[in-house]
Amino acid sequence: MPIDPYILLLLGTVGIAALLPARGTGAEVASGASTAAIAFLFFLYGARLSTREALDGLKHWRLHTTVLACTFVVFPLLGLAARGLVPVLLTHPLYQGLLFLTLVPSTVQSSIAFTSIARGNVPAAICAGSFSSLAGIVITPLLAAALLGGNAGGFSTDSVVKIVLQLLVPFLAGQLLRRWVGGFITRHKKVLGYVDRASILLVVYTAFSEGMVQGIWHQVSALRLAGLLAVEAVVLAVMLTLTWYGGKALRFDREDRIAIQFAGSKKSLASGLPMASVLFGAHASLAVLPLMLFHQMQLMVCAVIAKRRARDPQPEVTGTAAPAAGSRTAVGTATHSG
């Protein structure tokens, strides 16, 4: 049951924002730095995505279509169904955050790691996670504008310009410059990984500072948080069940079903936090809270499932023991993923 150390850093950042929120000129500086950090994050996302790998992955289009449908169709439908829990179990702001959670793209690193542990189709998990992240740059803001309305900026000119300038343009620039910067990014992958995490911590600090200044945290009680956790547990259980047995109904083999389950049941913290900052502005702190909680929950549950899948009887094929030998490394990768 891994506890992601990065979640502890995020919670620590929330605590700092609660005690020492940015105000006045400091808030303006933090907001500007956060905007730059988001743009840099999506530049790195674009520069890391191999166009050749993405094109090769299109050969397995049925699997990728299934994962995308789970991520951007089934998940949002569950989010919309949870509307009936307001105000009995969830407050309206927490529901907005829960609905946003269901619109976020899938993870990449943890999907790959858990698929490897469970001895599934790792190349498919790589491509499925990458496709989901790429599609999410466009699909997530559009779904948020359509389903969340004014709470996420709607279809106003200002929100469209923000999305294009802060998310899409840096991503496309990264893709265009990949030929020249790809080698540098590969050589300095570890250092840039720390830059990724530091950038997201800055986004979280800015968002929660704005929330503290506006006093929106008075809307959240321990009972409401418990209700949110219960709803998220149900959503995760439903998605894990649908992706596993749905893959069987669609006649995917065991390796592909594993990739579908882990890529189709999770949501990316690394992509969701910057997007929430752009889409929600001052209300981003409550919007990202459900995503932060869901992220830790999915890591803990999927780690258990992956280890059990690894113990499933396997056909006697040469080399099948290799993935299991690297499972400890994969767990380490998963606990630091988006």
Side-chain angles (χ1 to χ4, degrees):
M1 299 285 282
I3 297 178
D4 190 350
Y6 192 57
I7 284 290
L8 299 180
L9 286 176
L10 287 170
L11 293 176
T13 303
V14 172
I16 293 173
L19 296 173
L20 300 170
R23 301 174 184 270
T25 303
E28 294 178 3
V29 172
S31 178
S34 176
T35 299
I38 291 170
F40 184 62
L41 275 174
F42 278 83
F43 173 81
L44 289 179
Y45 293 160
R48 287 169 178 158
L49 179 61
S50 170
T51 305
R52 177 176 295 179
E53 287 180 1
L55 293 176
D56 289 342
L58 289 174
K59 298 175 183 177
H60 210 348
W61 63 269
R62 284 184 66 244
L63 185 146
H64 303 316
T65 301
T66 301
V67 171
L68 290 175
C70 291
T71 304
F72 297 116
V73 178
V74 181
F75 251 118
L77 288 175
L78 292 176
L80 290 172
R83 179 67 179 83
L85 301 175
V86 180
V88 177
L89 197 59
L90 301 174
T91 63
H92 186 69
L94 285 179
Y95 168 71
Q96 295 287 329
L98 177 68
L99 182 55
F100 173 73
L101 150 71
T102 65
L103 311 180
V104 171
S106 178
T107 62
V108 180
Q109 292 98 326
S110 60
S111 296
I112 297 168
F114 288 132
T115 300
S116 175
I117 293 170
R119 294 185 289 190
N121 189 338
V122 174
I126 294 172
C127 293
S130 300
F131 287 157
S132 180
S133 296
L134 177 59
I137 294 175
V138 177
I139 295 177
T140 297
L142 292 178
L143 286 175
L147 300 180
L148 293 169
N151 294 283
F155 282 105
S156 66
T157 302
D158 182 60
S159 64
V160 172
V161 170
K162 283 184 177 180
I163 292 168
V164 170
L165 292 181
Q166 294 187 45
L167 306 182
L168 189 57
V169 169
F171 180 86
L172 294 176
Q175 275 284 284
L176 291 174
L177 296 176
R178 174 178 166 77
R179 177 178 178 183
W180 294 278
V181 303
F184 176 85
I185 289 175
T186 300
R187 290 192 300 272
H188 299 85
K189 182 178 179 180
K190 185 175 182 179
V191 174
L192 290 175
Y194 292 128
V195 173
D196 275 6
R197 298 185 184 107
S199 299
I200 292 174
L201 290 176
L202 176 60
V203 171
V204 170
Y205 174 76
T206 303
F208 278 84
S209 288
E210 293 178 352
M212 287 299 301
V213 171
Q214 294 192 11
I216 62 176
W217 279 100
H218 296 297
Q219 305 173 28
V220 183
S221 66
L223 185 60
R224 294 296 189 181
L225 285 177
L228 174 63
L229 284 171
V231 173
E232 291 190 335
V234 172
V235 170
L236 180 59
V238 169
M239 289 307 302
L240 286 169
T241 302
L242 285 177
T243 50
W244 182 250
Y245 291 102
K248 182 178 181 180
L250 293 173
R251 298 184 179 180
F252 287 102
D253 61 25
R254 177 189 176 278
E255 288 75 18
D256 287 349
R257 288 171 65 193
I258 289 172
I260 291 170
Q261 184 175 52
F262 290 124
S265 64
K266 295 203 300 303
K267 292 294 182 175
S268 173
L269 187 69
S271 296
L273 288 177
M275 287 181 179
S277 180
V278 175
L279 294 169
F280 289 90
H283 298 282
S285 55
L286 279 183
V288 302
L289 179 62
L291 179 59
M292 290 171 60
L293 296 175
F294 189 83
H295 173 80
Q296 180 58 43
M297 186 183 296
Q298 69 186 13
L299 284 182
M300 296 172 70
V301 174
C302 288
V304 174
I305 293 175
K307 291 174 182 177
R308 289 185 177 180
R309 294 270 183 265
R311 294 195 294 266
D312 289 345
Q314 296 291 311
E316 294 186 2
V317 179
T318 303
T320 54
S327 62
R328 184 172 301 176
T329 302
V331 170
T333 303
T335 57
H336 292 284
S337 70

